[in-house]
Structure formats: C-alpha cells, structure tokens
Amino acid sequence: LKQRALVVSYQLLLVLTASCRVFPKVVDMADVPAGYVNGCGHEFDPKEAEKSGKLTKDDPIQEHYKKGGFFGSITGAFGDKKTMYCHHMTTDCEPAVRAAKRQNIDCKTAEEVWNVIGRKPCCGRFAYDSKSGKLKCGAVVKKDHDNTCNGDTCLFVASGLDCPVPTWAHK
C-alpha cells in the first residue's frame, strides 16, 4: 500500500511539474559573457548594510528596486523587489556607483569597475537565501529579471561602459 501511494505521489508530482513549469529556464554557459561567472555566491547582508548606513531602507537608490503598480505594492510589502545584480554592490556592501564617487574614481574599463566592486567578473543577481537570511548571488536565467541597470545603480552604465548582464536575462 505504501509503494502504491509513493507511485501515485510521484506520478502526481510529474504532472504538476510539467503543467506548472517549476524548473528554471536553463542557460547554456556559452550564453554567458566570456570571462564571467553566472552567479558567484557572494552574500550581501541588508541588515548589516542598514546598521552601517551604507544602504538604508530609506536610501533614494531603493526606488530603483521597488515594484510598481497595484500588485507590486502588495508583493513589495512582503519583500519582493526588482532585480539587484551582483555588480550593483561592492564587496563591502556599498552601492558601487556611490563607492566610486566617494573615492573619486572615474572608471574607463570594465577591469577598473571590477576593481571598485572588489570581485571577479560576474553577471549574476541577488536573491534571498533562507539559510543565511542574506541576499546571495546566483545565476540569471532567460527572460526572468528586471533591467535595473542605470547610471544610479550600475557602475558600468555610469562609466559609459556596457553592462555585463546579458539582454536575454531581462523580462
């Protein structure tokens, strides 16, 4: 009887999986820019950034990550935000554009941008990690992410350079 229940449960799971499309849109690593990783695992602690004052809840840059519209205001109340990419924040949990301005750095190359950020090239995005309670950099997938890169959030764009996020990742 237990085996029969397991078989039925497994069959139901297969049907639900096929109909709900729960698997992410797989990305071929050849689609990732050369020399980049798609999700580096870097962790960003919003609570620590709030404590240190590097990125507070009322920081004007937060407007770039708020979802709009009626449903956006509802999901936003539960912490759902637009995509924050790994390259938006330095290793020290400071917005990269702000860090470069504070240090009077005018980046001319992608390498200089990554030096400000303090990590190796990555085109990943942050998502909440329930184990650590932090945001963790993971892979981007096809047509699933907001294009939040602009002169205020992305040091590449602010420096007149191409953003490292592949356009296929945008909704």
Side-chain angles (χ1 to χ4, degrees):
L1 188 60
K2 285 183 182 179
Q3 280 184 322
R4 175 113 174 99
L6 284 174
V7 169
V8 171
S9 296
Y10 180 72
Q11 289 172 338
L12 182 60
L13 178 64
L14 288 177
V15 169
L16 290 173
T17 301
S19 64
C20 295
R21 306 175 114 204
V22 296
F23 294 108
K25 299 152 196 130
V26 178
V27 174
D28 184 342
M29 286 308 290
D31 293 338
V32 175
Y36 281 72
V37 295
N38 188 4
C40 65
H42 175 72
E43 290 185 334
F44 169 67
D45 187 348
K47 290 177 185 173
E48 182 58 37
E50 176 80 29
K51 264 194 237 177
S52 70
K54 291 181 181 177
L55 186 65
T56 59
K57 290 179 184 173
D58 61 349
D59 191 307
I61 201 169
Q62 297 282 10
E63 288 298 315
H64 296 286
Y65 303 107
K66 285 186 180 175
K67 291 199 173 192
F70 176 72
F71 289 110
S73 63
I74 293 171
T75 60
F78 294 100
D80 190 26
K81 305 274 188 216
K82 288 185 177 179
T83 309
M84 178 186 280
Y85 293 97
C86 183
H87 67 273
H88 289 183
M89 303 301 289
T90 68
T91 300
D92 297 329
C93 301
E94 183 178 8
V97 174
R98 190 175 298 161
K101 285 180 182 175
R102 182 180 49 74
Q103 298 172 53
N104 291 320
I105 297 173
D106 184 22
C107 298
K108 302 287 186 212
T109 66
E111 184 177 313
E112 291 174 352
V113 171
W114 287 111
N115 285 337
V116 171
I117 293 169
R119 288 189 299 283
K120 293 184 179 179
C122 174
C123 63
R125 54 67 182 134
F126 287 115
Y128 182 72
D129 179 46
S130 59
K131 290 179 185 174
S132 66
K134 298 176 183 178
L135 299 178
K136 187 173 184 176
C137 178
V140 292
V141 296
K142 292 183 179 180
K143 299 186 185 292
D144 199 42
H145 308 286
D146 305 290
N147 184 1
T148 54
C149 294
N150 58 56
D152 294 327
T153 61
C154 176
L155 186 52
F156 289 92
V157 173
S159 301
L161 302 168
D162 290 334
C163 176
V165 177
T167 56
W168 51 253
H170 298 147
K171 294 177 184 173

